[in-house]
Amino acid sequence: MRYKKQLVYAGIITLVIAAVSTYYYHSFFLFDKFLPGVKIAALSISGLNREEAIMKVDEWLDTINDTPVVFYTNDYSYQTNLKDLSHRPDAVKIVNDVWEKEKKRGIKSKILTMDGGKETVYSVKISYDPNEIQKIVEELSLNLNKDFQNASLEIDKWTGLRIIPGVQGQKLNVDATFAGMPGKWGDFTLLRIPVVLTKTEPVINEEQLKIMGELASFTTWYNVNEVDRSHNLRLAADTVNTTAIPPGEVFSFNRIVGERTYERGYRDALIINNGVFEPGLGGGICQVSSTIYNAVLRAGLEIVERHNHALAVTYVPLGHDATIAYGLQDFKFKNNTNYPIYIRAMAESG
């Protein structure tokens, strides 16, 4: 009798194991729907077949794709949306990838999530459009970047030389700013991204200018009755005035003064062209470069580039001129000292 009971118990256990095995085989290997607890990003797809899951994911992507994205600082904001910044994922590919991963998921993991109490989440990476990101970088930089201002010197007729403090600048920190963007899709309603700005310090500070003393000076004369030429001289001198050159840096007249155009206020006056005096835009400003050149010679600074006029000029000794032509000829010198060089340039009253 005891032997028969053992046989009966063994048979019952075998039947139970067989039934459980059949259940899990059908649940995990033949079932055509996603199991409980399965989510794609923040979206539950449990109990759905692939076609239903694709439709649901597609609708969800349509919704979150319109999520506003606001880049902000204390007093500035710029708004766009995820649809413009990112590539929309393919719902079919996402669902099919998850389906294949689910088929390979271990039996233990599936059993533990059968009651839906524990979730299996498959994340979806956000792929940003680099061209759109670059547009945002340019927009933020245009509105938020500020150049630093070097400390400078001014001459007051009552107090003499005085120092004007430098001012910090700021520059968009691209990496730190975009690190605030989400890397994976989620249930977004609004994305607020703080703009990170990095402070930029002046190259020339007040302490450096406290030891400033005159290295050299040079003066040339011009005819104030030549109105247009005098105007060009003053404009170029004003542009060069207060230029600071850090140790080891090179001063370029063309880079500082820029291209001579009507839009920038320059006028036609006599220039030397192929050995002939004739009217030309910006005529006369070679007197400014030549005056600086003679001061630089007296200061013992290193000449990097200098050219003579085709004809002799009257405002400097023979061979002591420095002609310039934008894009062709420049006057350059290097600050070969251990301290900043500061240029004071003035043109007035001849």
Side-chain angles (χ1 to χ4, degrees), residues 253 285-294 309 322-324 331:
F253 188 90
I285 66 169
C286 289
Q287 183 165 349
V288 178
S289 57
S290 295
T291 307
I292 298 172
Y293 168 59
N294 281 270
H309 286 85
T323 184
I324 43 91
F331 167 57

Side-chain angles (χ1 to χ4, degrees), residues 56-255:
K56 189 171 182 179
V57 170
D58 218 27
E59 292 171 358
W60 178 69
L61 287 173
D62 282 341
T63 301
I64 60 172
N65 223 16
D66 289 326
T67 300
V69 181
V70 180
F71 294 89
Y72 71 95
T73 60
N74 292 332
D75 53 358
Y76 172 83
S77 65
Y78 176 82
Q79 182 169 325
T80 180
N81 56 60
L82 272 178
K83 181 165 52 182
D84 291 337
L85 289 180
S86 63
H87 299 294
R88 190 182 189 282
D90 184 347
V92 175
K93 185 178 185 306
I94 292 173
V95 172
N96 285 337
D97 286 347
V98 171
W99 183 261
E100 292 303 317
K101 290 176 182 176
E102 274 292 285
K103 284 164 61 176
K104 297 174 183 177
R105 185 155 64 100
I107 189 73
K108 181 180 178 181
S109 172
K110 291 180 177 179
I111 291 173
L112 293 175
T113 58
M114 277 302 292
D115 62 354
K118 189 174 181 181
E119 296 176 340
T120 301
V121 181
Y122 293 94
S123 61
V124 180
K125 183 180 178 181
I126 299 180
S127 175
Y128 291 105
D129 185 336
N131 293 325
E132 293 300 322
I133 295 297
Q134 182 58 35
K135 290 179 184 177
I136 301 298
V137 169
E138 292 172 0
E139 181 70 25
L140 297 180
S141 298
L142 178 65
N143 286 280
L144 297 174
N145 284 2
K146 294 179 182 176
D147 292 335
F148 62 77
Q149 295 179 25
N150 283 321
S152 59
L153 297 172
E154 286 297 336
I155 298 175
D156 186 277
K157 65 180 180 179
W158 302 111
T159 61
L161 199 66
R162 63 189 183 97
I163 298 174
I164 309 299
V167 179
Q168 279 186 329
Q170 64 182 25
K171 187 175 182 180
L172 174 69
N173 188 321
V174 177
D175 292 339
T177 297
F178 285 92
M181 294 286 288
K184 299 174 182 178
W185 290 95
D187 265 343
F188 309 129
T189 54
L190 172 65
L191 291 174
R192 286 179 54 80
I193 311 299
V195 176
V196 181
L197 298 169
T198 301
K199 296 294 183 182
T200 56
E201 299 294 333
V203 176
I204 309 298
N205 58 44
E206 297 165 61
E207 292 301 316
Q208 290 171 307
L209 293 187
K210 285 181 179 178
I211 61 171
M212 187 70 72
E214 184 178 293
L215 290 179
S217 64
F218 195 79
T219 301
T220 59
W221 300 87
Y222 61 94
N223 184 356
V224 293
N225 294 318
E226 296 174 346
V227 177
D228 292 334
R229 187 177 188 278
S230 299
H231 170 84
N232 291 339
L233 284 171
R234 286 193 297 271
L235 186 56
D238 286 344
T239 305
V240 171
N241 188 36
T242 74
T243 298
I245 308 114
E249 294 295 314
V250 172
F251 168 91
S252 162
F253 188 90
N254 280 333
R255 178 173 57 82

Side-chain angles (χ1 to χ4, degrees), residues 40-58:
I40 292 177
L43 185 69
S44 173
I45 57 170
S46 61
L48 303 179
N49 60 33
R50 275 188 283 180
E51 288 73 20
E52 293 168 336
I54 289 169
M55 289 181 60
K56 189 171 182 179
V57 170
D58 218 27

Side-chain angles (χ1 to χ4, degrees), residues 313-332:
V313 292
T314 59
Y315 47 78
V316 291
L318 184 65
H320 284 70
D321 55 328
T323 184
I324 43 91
Y326 192 83
L328 296 174
Q329 294 176 321
D330 200 358
F331 167 57
K332 298 178 181 179

Side-chain angles (χ1 to χ4, degrees), residues 102 133 267 270 311:
E102 274 292 285
I133 295 297
R267 301 175 182 175
L270 287 182
L311 297 176

